[in-house]
Every structure is written in structure tokens, then in C-alpha cells.
Amino acid sequence: MKFCFVMPYHIAQNRGGGAEVQAWYLAQALSARGFDIYYICQSVIPQKVNQVEKMNGVTIFWLKTAGRFEWMDRKKYYRSLEKIKPDFVIQRMSSSVTDTIGKYCEKKNRHFIWICCGDAIPRKWHFVKKQLEIYRQK
């Protein structure tokens, strides 16, 4: 079975917090048990962008950091999922990519494991409204 974690950042680049740590530990634990594990995330190191790297038994697809509006960058995640063709996609948080993962899994008849603890997350247009509020404040 092939698992793919989709996270905004990787904890190895000192980005993120508890969700990134938990996702990375789970990815490594599944790899140690013999599963085929992939990890899709953005890199803050320009030389890693669009590179594929193996770390602790996990194959990492490094993507370019999101532009001004995160939801416009979703195609790069979808394309990576199409290359990997995972049986299960895991996201340990919610982001503007959650919808993209859901659409990929629905279209390809794959399983989406979504681990999230935010009460407001399921609200319609949550991430768009959140992003617009951030830009209004700036």
C-alpha cells in the first residue's frame, strides 16, 4: 500500500508546529513497518524546489512555496498526487489544499484520511475568508 502525506511544510526546515511533527513521525513509523510512504510539502530552500528526496525511508516531493493567494497554488499538489498515485492520502491539518486532496481522492477512488481539530474548518470558504482578512489587516 502506498501512503502520501500532504502538508504545507516539513518540520526539517524549521517550519510549522505540532501537526508537522506528528505527520512526520507517523510517516516514518509507517515506512519502518514496510509501507511505501511519500510526503508532499513546500520548501523554503530554493535549491530543493521541484526536487524529490528520500529521507528516513520517506520520499519527499518538494514544492515551491505558495504565492500570495494559497488557493491558487493547488495544481502543484494535484500534479504531485497524480505522479505518486497513492492508495491513501493523509493530511494532519487543514489548509487550502484540503479541497484539492478531496477532489483528487474522489476522482481517483482513493482514501483520504483527514486529521484535524479545528472547529471552524468545515465552514464554507473558510480559507478564502481567512486569507482575505489577513490581507485586509496588512
Side-chain angles (χ1 to χ4, degrees):
M1 283 191 286
K2 196 183 287 189
F3 290 83
C4 181
F5 287 78
V6 179
M7 298 294 291
Y9 294 103
H10 194 287
I11 199 66
Q13 293 188 355
N14 296 320
R15 295 294 302 251
E20 285 78 10
V21 171
Q22 291 170 12
W24 181 239
Y25 282 158
L26 181 56
Q28 291 176 95
L30 288 169
S31 176
R33 285 164 178 78
F35 294 102
D36 197 9
I37 308 299
Y38 293 82
Y39 203 99
I40 301 172
C41 58
Q42 300 172 62
S43 179
V44 294
I45 302 169
Q47 296 83 352
K48 286 195 181 242
V49 172
N50 296 323
Q51 300 298 313
V52 178
E53 175 184 2
K54 192 101 169 176
M55 185 186 303
N56 296 345
V58 178
T59 304
I60 304 171
F61 280 62
W62 296 105
L63 304 176
K64 183 179 178 186
T65 304
R68 174 171 274 188
F69 299 108
E70 293 175 1
W71 63 85
M72 295 182 76
D73 270 353
R74 297 181 299 180
K75 286 182 183 178
K76 63 187 176 188
Y77 287 93
Y78 198 93
R79 285 191 297 266
S80 295
L81 287 167
E82 285 189 319
K83 287 178 188 172
I84 296 166
K85 296 178 179 41
D87 300 302
F88 295 89
V89 181
I90 302 171
Q91 188 182 33
R92 171 50 192 94
M93 61 181 303
S94 290
S95 71
S96 58
V97 182
T98 305
D99 178 61
T100 303
I101 298 167
K103 286 179 180 175
Y104 171 84
C105 289
E106 182 179 41
K107 183 177 179 184
K108 305 294 184 177
N109 198 26
R110 302 294 186 219
H111 301 280
F112 181 16
I113 301 168
W114 180 46
I115 309 166
C116 179
C117 56
D119 293 340
I121 301 305
R123 293 192 182 134
K124 189 172 186 172
W125 301 108
H126 173 75
F127 287 99
V128 173
K129 289 176 184 175
K130 184 175 161 184
Q131 190 83 44
L132 290 173
E133 183 58 34
I134 289 168
Y135 285 110
R136 265 192 227 112
Q137 289 175 7
K138 287 183 179 181

